[in-house]
Amino acid sequence: MAELTVNELKSRINEIEERISNACLRSGRNREDVRLIAVTKTHPVETLQNAYELGLRCFGENKVQEITSKIPELPADISWHLIGHLQRNKVKMIVKDVEMIHSVDSLRLAEAIEKEAAKIDRVIPVLIEVNVAEEESKFGVKLSETKELVREAAKLPHLHISGLMTIAPNVSDPEENRPVFKKLRELLVDIRNENIDNVNMSALSMGMSGDFEVAIEEGATMVRVGSSIFGMRDYSRK
């Protein structure tokens, strides 16, 4: 599949920006309250460079190998987010370079991040991934187990628990995911009200290309948009 031209990419980015702004308007929020994370997996460095030149500064990757190969090839002021499942033995490869890890789904993973972050004396912001819909195919802790993981992970001095993340079900009607987003928002507020040390619950990462507008209406502060910006992914790319 051919990559988008610069003009095509610009048009898509502008459209997404307009949709984000309209969703914010509908829900009485400021556009500045929602961060667009452009999900760049399988897309080449050249396309990411074009997106950067068109104003995007926040990129999300699913795989450690891909994010570590792209970071040295692109401008240093890009904010990189690891949004996919993270294996403990790969933490050391990314802990110095990513702004945030969205996918902490176990205490063992949190402890692995603590160990590697301590080596470089860095406190790394993380989100707890919650499998709100309890889909067997998805990673994430159950809603009922999230508070306990937050409490335990918050004891690790080189992590900062910054909020929650979820991957909602793949549905044809984005309205079907509104209850999922609402539950995560309610949980975030509940945890925030407990005033746990080292937890601020400021970030709510939810919503992708198919449902990000509903996610914004339900309180998302980060939306992870890939195919609506860059087109369908080419999984033949290595």
Side-chain angles (χ1 to χ4, degrees):
M1 179 181 290
E3 291 294 322
L4 299 173
T5 67
V6 173
N7 285 338
E8 289 170 336
L9 189 58
K10 181 178 181 179
S11 176
R12 283 172 175 253
I13 292 171
N14 288 343
E15 180 186 347
I16 294 299
E17 282 291 341
E18 183 176 1
R19 289 169 63 187
I20 291 173
S21 295
N22 288 339
C24 288
L25 193 63
R26 287 193 299 272
S27 50
R29 302 179 64 195
N30 295 322
R31 171 62 187 90
E32 294 74 26
D33 294 339
V34 180
R35 193 170 189 185
L36 171 60
I37 299 176
V39 181
T40 51
K41 65 180 182 180
T42 80
H43 295 289
V45 166
E46 293 78 12
T47 299
L48 275 63
Q49 181 68 44
N50 289 338
Y52 176 89
E53 290 171 3
L54 290 168
L56 295 187
R57 290 294 182 273
C58 187
F59 294 161
E61 285 285 347
N62 287 60
K63 294 185 181 297
V64 169
Q65 295 93 324
E66 194 164 356
I67 199 169
T68 54
S69 69
K70 287 176 176 176
I71 287 173
E73 301 294 322
L74 287 157
D77 62 337
I78 289 174
S79 168
W80 291 96
H81 292 241
L82 195 284
I83 61 176
H85 180 63
L86 177 58
Q87 295 172 299
R88 297 193 304 278
N89 64 351
K90 293 182 179 174
V91 170
K92 61 181 176 291
M93 297 170 64
I94 57 128
V95 77
K96 75 178 189 301
D97 292 318
V98 298
E99 178 177 326
M100 178 178 281
I101 297 171
H102 287 229
S103 48
V104 175
D105 59 0
S106 72
L107 184 57
R108 291 180 73 192
L109 175 57
E111 289 169 342
I113 296 169
E114 165 67 25
K115 178 181 176 181
E116 296 302 330
K119 291 177 182 177
I120 59 171
D121 195 25
R122 182 187 175 197
V123 176
I124 185 163
V126 303
L127 305 182
I128 303 299
E129 181 174 359
V130 186
N131 188 350
V132 178
E134 296 191 9
E135 294 182 278
E136 288 188 6
S137 61
K138 299 244 172 74
F139 293 100
V141 66
K142 292 180 180 179
L143 276 168
S144 61
E145 299 169 353
T146 303
K147 278 189 187 180
E148 181 60 24
L149 178 55
V150 168
R151 290 190 190 102
E152 292 303 311
K155 297 174 183 176
L156 303 171
H158 293 89
L159 270 65
H160 180 59
I161 315 303
S162 301
L164 305 177
M165 179 271 243
T166 197
I167 300 173
N170 185 14
V171 295
S172 55
D173 179 2
E175 283 296 329
E176 292 180 44
N177 280 335
R178 191 177 293 276
V180 171
F181 299 141
K182 186 178 178 64
K183 285 178 183 177
L184 195 68
R185 167 66 178 170
E186 289 171 346
L187 178 60
L188 178 131
V189 172
D190 189 19
I191 295 172
R192 181 191 291 156
N193 288 341
E194 293 199 8
N195 294 315
I196 303 167
D197 285 346
N198 195 29
V199 175
N200 70 6
M201 288 289 125
S202 61
L204 196 54
S205 173
M206 60 187 192
M208 301 192 293
S209 286
D211 56 17
F212 69 86
E213 289 150 302
V214 173
I216 290 169
E217 291 168 4
E218 293 300 329
T221 66
M222 296 178 175
V223 292
R224 310 178 305 270
V225 181
S227 58
S228 290
I229 296 175
F230 299 107
M232 298 306 294
R233 300 182 183 97
D234 181 359
Y235 286 102
S236 67
R237 270 185 210 283
K238 302 297 182 185

